[in-house]
């Protein structure tokens, strides 16, 4: 049974997610020009998607405060494109777009617990009754 999820990408210059929301984030930047001249991606631009959380206020380990930023699971902070994105002290690879994560397969929910989770998972896997 195939399931599809529809994604709506939002330009980060136009609108930001709600505080605390985990999103798929499109990150743009450039790979470092390495000492290895044989590295085929060194110095090249990239655009990739990864999960991140959006927060309206974040304190880094060094105590620095960031506002309206995306934070990855390693704690790396990235601003929305065009908002502090030109400041390399903040970040060389800002977020151009973001999208809400898809819901759980066969549901309209992002999070289920207990019997509700078991029943939804069993339905999506075609197991149980």
């Amino acid at each position: 049974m195939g399931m599809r999820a529809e994604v709506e990408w939002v330009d980060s210059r136009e609108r930001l997610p709600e505080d605390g929301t985990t999103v798929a984030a499109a990150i743009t930047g450039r790979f470092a020009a390495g000492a290895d001249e044989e590295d085929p991606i060194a110095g090249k631009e990239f655009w990739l998607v990864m999960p991140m959380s959006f927060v309206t206020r974040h304190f880094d380990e060094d105590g620095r405060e960031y506002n309206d930023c995306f934070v990855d699971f390693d704690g790396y902070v990235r601003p929305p494109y065009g908002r502090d994105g030109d400041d390399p002290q903040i970040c060389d690879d800002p977020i151009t777009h973001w999208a809400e994560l898809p819901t759980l397969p066969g549901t309209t929910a992002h999070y289920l617990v207990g019997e509700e989770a078991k029943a939804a998972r069993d339905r999506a896997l075609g197991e149980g009754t």
Side-chain angles (χ1 to χ4, degrees), residues 19-85:
D19 186 34
T21 303
T22 300
V23 299
I27 303 162
T28 188
R30 182 179 298 278
F31 287 109
D36 181 5
E37 294 177 14
E38 303 279 326
D39 187 353
I41 62 170
K44 292 192 177 181
E45 288 190 43
F46 65 82
W47 199 28
L48 63 90
V49 173
M50 59 186 287
M52 302 193 80
S53 291
F54 177 79
V55 292
T56 55
R57 190 172 184 193
H58 175 76
F59 290 97
D60 209 355
E61 290 176 358
D62 64 3
R64 185 173 181 176
E65 181 180 356
Y66 297 91
N67 295 303
D68 294 335
C69 60
F70 295 84
V71 182
D72 72 16
F73 294 107
D74 290 329
Y76 193 79
V77 177
R78 292 178 175 88
Y81 188 82
R83 297 185 191 182
D84 300 329

Side-chain angles (χ1 to χ4, degrees), residues 99-123:
E100 288 188 29
L101 295 179
T103 58
L104 290 164
T107 76
T108 59
H110 288 93
Y111 176 78
L112 295 171
V113 177
E115 188 55 39
E116 225 183 342
K118 180 183 181 324
R121 183 189 63 234
D122 288 350
R123 275 193 310 276

